Amino acid sequence: MSNKLVEHKESKEILTGNQKKILFWICFIILSIAFITVWINILLTSKAFNTQMEEMVLGEDYYMEDIVITGKRAEDASVDTISQNYFFYYNNGKVNDYHKRMQVPGFVYSEYNVGDSIAAYTTDHVSYSYYKYGILPDTGYTNNELMKVAGVLLGIGIFLLALFGVLSKKMNYKK
């Protein structure tokens, strides 16, 4: 064995300080543009949905019909069972017939029993909703809701990137 001392070599950084700043600002700008674009898309789509709902004519574009409640079910909305979703089944819908159920508020759920009839919105006389917005096209409405999730995630990403930038500057000042 050798008694030689091992020289400590400093590891080389992949990016220089200027390159890190440029990369930080590029990421921040891209995330910010994506965030703004997503939320503008959400606002425009929501406005289009509201306009569509206002222009719909009862008896032509949608209908109000009394349906008979053939089943009721309350489901936990999350693992912690703090909140619940309430559903009425219609047209002999069973527990897993998702196309034959409509979600209702808790106070409505407690007012009605199986066998009672309730007024509901429909466009096709097959699917019913307690809310007028429930008759919007499923894919368009679902995509808008998913865009809201993407907008929130982008906002979190921008916040974390900004936090990282602030913390890394503070760490550089301590050196």
Side-chain angles (χ1 to χ4, degrees):
M1 291 224 156
S2 170
N3 290 335
K4 293 182 182 177
L5 294 175
V6 178
E7 287 184 34
H8 179 64
K9 294 183 180 178
E10 290 188 30
S11 61
K12 291 185 177 182
E13 292 187 16
I14 297 173
L15 298 174
T16 65
N18 260 355
Q19 289 173 331
K20 286 180 185 178
K21 276 185 184 178
I22 291 170
L23 180 63
F24 171 82
W25 284 109
I26 288 173
C27 290
F28 188 80
I29 290 169
I30 289 172
L31 282 175
S32 298
I33 289 171
F35 179 80
I36 291 168
T37 304
V38 164
W39 281 105
I40 287 174
N41 184 2
I42 291 167
L43 291 174
L44 293 176
T45 305
S46 296
K47 186 176 183 333
F49 283 150
N50 289 335
T51 303
Q52 179 183 354
M53 294 307 294
E54 290 170 3
E55 292 175 353
M56 290 178 82
V57 178
L58 179 64
E60 289 180 24
D61 300 316
Y62 71 96
Y63 307 92
M64 289 287 297
E65 296 179 2
D66 287 337
I67 58 170
V68 176
I69 300 169
T70 58
K72 290 173 66 171
R73 182 170 182 184
E75 295 178 3
D76 294 336
S78 60
V79 177
D80 56 14
T81 67
I82 291 176
S83 60
Q84 289 191 318
N85 292 323
Y86 302 98
F87 298 98
F88 286 156
Y89 292 89
Y90 53 87
N91 295 341
N92 296 318
K94 303 293 182 221
V95 172
N96 292 323
D97 288 339
Y98 298 112
H99 62 286
K100 293 182 180 181
R101 75 176 187 177
M102 68 177 178
Q103 188 168 2
V104 295
F107 70 91
V108 172
Y109 181 83
S110 61
E111 281 182 28
Y112 291 89
N113 296 315
V114 174
D116 293 346
S117 63
I118 185 172
Y121 293 95
T122 185
T123 55
D124 58 5
H125 308 288
V126 175
S127 302
Y128 295 91
S129 176
Y130 180 75
Y131 300 103
K132 189 175 178 183
Y133 284 97
I135 60 176
L136 286 171
D138 284 343
T139 54
Y141 189 73
T142 302
N143 288 344
N144 198 42
E145 295 300 308
L146 291 174
M147 288 296 278
K148 289 177 185 177
V149 172
V152 168
L153 291 175
L154 284 169
I156 291 169
I158 291 170
F159 173 76
L160 291 175
L161 187 63
L163 184 65
F164 173 75
V166 168
L167 291 178
S168 67
K169 278 187 179 181
K170 285 186 179 182
M171 290 172 63
N172 286 340
Y173 288 134
K174 289 182 180 180
K175 286 183 179 179

